[in-house]
């Protein structure tokens, strides 16, 4: 008699899927073949009294705003409200090595041959193979099957570096800002580019959080989606803020960031007029924010992600605080985030540890 057991997927016990939502998660039905054996962390945004329905058969834990306040106490102020940036709370409470995060309007895409794309499996392959941030390979990811390093690629760099982030893309509705949405309301992305590439060291990118995976142990404490949404002067910059921060830190610590495959099917376009209201300050501010990150450097003392993030927060307060008081508040929230991360994960950053050790030594 044939066995009915399902094959164990890659990293089944080492990866959590984080989903921010305000609605019932019916979209999981189409992802069932790919997600059902993994653990889900659902972060409910908005009204905590609303009941979110999850299809049967999924292993999950669900957190609403009341849970966030209860678990973090005063430090809950660093978690955004009424914004998908709340997803980073799921990163914090996860106990797994890897995270995949996806939006609830993202469906299973098909490749040009008509086969459904297992986005999670491709992200895992990206994360488990090295990156090449120090020298660009013109055949893109040399670790994929059927390709390699091209002639002239330094042999000393072919070992690569650990991959911290895998940034996936989208078919159908592209991730455009409000002005582009308004002038191209009917534009759809139909181009499937079968490529994965490492973003070079020193190059920033606009990270999108709706199809994203990362190594939580390598970069987790820096994957903070900032202060957005309710009570804040800006929205829809949460993932990009995190992307700019993690890229500076990955460059400093010698980790890689990949972009390209896998694709998901982004099913619906958000309202461009609502988006413009959220984005308009950011559209002006980014012309100063991006040069700030392009010029940002971290000291040799920054040997951990936490130390890097704390130092970066100080630079944000000093150099971006002159643009708007919001950045002073954001810099403080970055520190609160790291403190909360360490408390929740029962770890203490090296900086705090060394300080306490010095205090103990001084009393002897």
């Amino acid at each position: 008699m044939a066995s009915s057991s399902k094959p164990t997927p890659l990293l089944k016990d080492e990866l959590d899927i984080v989903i921010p939502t305000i609605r019932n998660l019916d979209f999981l039905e189409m992802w069932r073949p790919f997600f059902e054996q993994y653990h889900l962390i659902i972060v409910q945004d908005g009204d905590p009294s609303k009941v979110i329905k999850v299809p049967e058969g999924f292993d999950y834990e669900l957190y609403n705003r009341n849970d966030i306040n209860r678990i973090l106490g005063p430090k809950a102020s660093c978690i955004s409200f009424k914004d998908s940036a709340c997803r980073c709370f799921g990163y914090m409470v996860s106990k797994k090595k890897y995270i995949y995060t996806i939006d609830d309007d993202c469906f299973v895409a098909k490749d040009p041959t008509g086969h459904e794309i297992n986005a999670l499996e491709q992200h895992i392959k990206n994360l488990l193979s090295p990156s090449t941030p120090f020298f660009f390979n013109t055949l893109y990811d040399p670790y994929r099957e059927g390709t390699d390093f091209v002639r002239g690629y330094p042999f000393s760099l072919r070992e690569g570096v650990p991959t911290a982030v895998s940034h996936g893309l989208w078919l159908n509705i592209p991730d455009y800002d409000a002005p582009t949405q308004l002038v191209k309301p009917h534009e759809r992305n139909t181009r499937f580019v079968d490529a994965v590439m490492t973003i070079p060291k020193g190059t920033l990118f606009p990270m999108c959080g709706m199809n994203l995976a990362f190594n939580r142990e390598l970069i987790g404490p820096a994957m903070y989606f900032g202060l957005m949404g309710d009570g804040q002067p800006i929205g829809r910059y949460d993932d990009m803020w995190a992307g700019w921060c993690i890229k500076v830190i990955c460059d400093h610590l010698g980790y890689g960031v990949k972009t390209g495959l896998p694709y998901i099917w982004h099913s619906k376009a958000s309202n461009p007029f609502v988006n413009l209201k959220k984005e308009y300050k950011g559209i002006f501010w980014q012309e100063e924010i991006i040069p700030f990150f392009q010029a940002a450097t971290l000291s040799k003392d920054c040997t951990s992600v936490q130390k890097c993030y704390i130092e970066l927060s100080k630079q944000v307060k000093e150099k971006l605080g002159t643009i708007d008081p919001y950045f002073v508040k954001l810099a403080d929230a970055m520190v609160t985030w790291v403190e909360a991360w360490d408390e929740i994960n029962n770890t203490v950053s090296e900086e705090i540890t060394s300080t306490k050790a010095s205090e103990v030594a001084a009393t002897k």
Side-chain angles (χ1 to χ4, degrees):
M1 191 171 177
S3 173
S4 60
S5 62
K6 299 177 182 178
T8 302
L10 290 169
L11 303 181
K12 175 183 178 295
D13 299 317
E14 297 181 72
L15 182 144
D16 279 334
I17 300 173
V18 175
I19 306 169
T21 193
I22 58 171
R23 58 181 63 88
N24 295 335
L25 295 180
D26 300 328
F27 92 114
L28 285 173
E29 285 295 352
M30 72 171 58
W31 286 103
R32 187 179 291 276
F34 309 124
F35 288 1
E36 190 173 25
Q37 296 189 65
Y38 290 92
H39 180 68
L40 312 181
I41 298 178
I42 300 163
V43 184
Q44 178 180 344
D45 195 18
D47 183 3
S49 66
K50 181 179 179 179
V51 177
I52 299 293
K53 295 181 180 179
V54 181
E56 291 185 6
F58 287 93
D59 172 36
Y60 70 93
E61 53 192 297
L62 188 150
Y63 298 92
N64 60 33
R65 191 69 203 188
N66 292 338
D67 298 317
I68 294 172
N69 292 338
R70 172 178 53 82
I71 293 168
L72 295 185
K75 290 185 173 63
S77 61
C78 72
I79 305 297
S80 298
F81 184 56
K82 293 185 178 179
D83 193 279
S84 64
C86 67
R87 79 178 76 217
C88 60
F89 178 77
Y91 310 160
M92 181 185 288
V93 297
S94 170
K95 302 302 178 187
K96 305 291 178 61
K97 182 175 181 179
Y98 300 97
I99 295 288
Y100 174 53
T101 184
I102 185 172
D103 284 5
D104 59 17
D105 63 348
C106 293
F107 300 163
V108 178
K110 293 183 178 181
D111 66 21
T113 68
H115 289 97
E116 292 190 336
I117 298 168
N118 185 344
L120 180 52
E121 182 180 62
Q122 180 63 52
H123 274 298
I124 291 171
K125 290 179 179 178
N126 292 348
L127 290 171
L128 293 182
S129 61
S131 292
T132 54
F134 305 119
F135 201 89
F136 189 78
N137 191 54
T138 51
L139 277 181
Y140 309 120
D141 191 340
Y143 305 104
R144 290 186 70 199
E145 187 176 348
T147 187
D148 211 319
F149 293 98
V150 298
R151 180 171 56 89
Y153 200 98
F155 285 89
S156 60
L157 296 177
R158 294 190 182 195
E159 184 177 343
V161 302
T163 301
V165 178
S166 172
H167 178 257
L169 299 175
W170 348 266
L171 293 172
N172 195 36
I173 307 295
D175 187 30
Y176 286 163
D177 53 37
T180 308
Q181 282 183 293
L182 286 167
V183 298
K184 294 184 172 183
H186 303 298
E187 185 156 292
R188 299 294 181 265
N189 182 34
T190 59
R191 293 195 315 139
F192 181 95
V193 181
D194 186 13
V196 178
M197 63 186 74
T198 299
I199 300 173
K201 180 180 180 180
T203 300
L204 298 177
F205 74 112
M207 189 172 81
C208 173
M210 66 174 135
N211 177 26
L212 178 74
F214 61 93
N215 185 322
R216 187 175 174 275
E217 291 183 1
L218 287 184
I219 201 63
M223 196 61 80
Y224 174 49
F225 277 39
L227 288 177
M228 303 283 156
D230 193 51
Q232 308 303 333
I234 186 175
R236 285 174 52 84
Y237 274 81
D238 52 331
D239 42 9
M240 290 186 289
W241 178 263
W244 296 326
C245 291
I246 63 98
K247 189 57 169 64
V248 169
I249 293 172
C250 283
D251 285 353
H252 176 77
L253 294 177
Y255 301 145
V257 178
K258 292 182 178 181
T259 188
L261 300 179
Y263 284 90
I264 51 82
W265 180 270
H266 188 203
S267 65
K268 64 179 183 179
S270 49
N271 187 310
F273 296 99
V274 173
N275 290 346
L276 185 60
K277 185 176 180 181
K278 294 177 180 179
E279 292 175 359
Y280 78 95
K281 286 192 175 181
I283 291 170
F284 289 105
W285 289 346
Q286 72 182 17
E287 301 307 316
E288 296 183 67
I289 295 172
I290 292 171
F292 160 76
F293 280 107
Q294 288 174 325
T297 58
L298 300 170
S299 68
K300 292 182 179 179
D301 293 334
C302 294
T303 54
S304 69
V305 176
Q306 282 94 332
K307 283 187 175 183
C308 289
Y309 205 65
I310 293 296
E311 181 163 318
L312 194 56
S313 74
K314 294 175 182 177
Q315 295 181 29
V316 168
K317 179 177 284 190
E318 177 187 351
K319 297 180 180 179
L320 295 183
T322 56
I323 299 175
D324 191 274
Y326 164 74
F327 290 100
V328 175
K329 185 178 180 181
L330 176 56
D332 290 338
M334 292 169 70
V335 176
T336 302
W337 160 264
V338 168
E339 292 173 348
W341 180 283
D342 286 337
E343 289 179 11
I344 291 296
N345 290 282
N346 297 315
T347 61
V348 182
S349 69
E350 296 174 22
E351 186 175 4
I352 297 174
T353 301
S354 61
T355 300
K356 289 185 176 180
S358 299
E359 291 173 352
V360 171
T363 59
K364 291 183 177 180

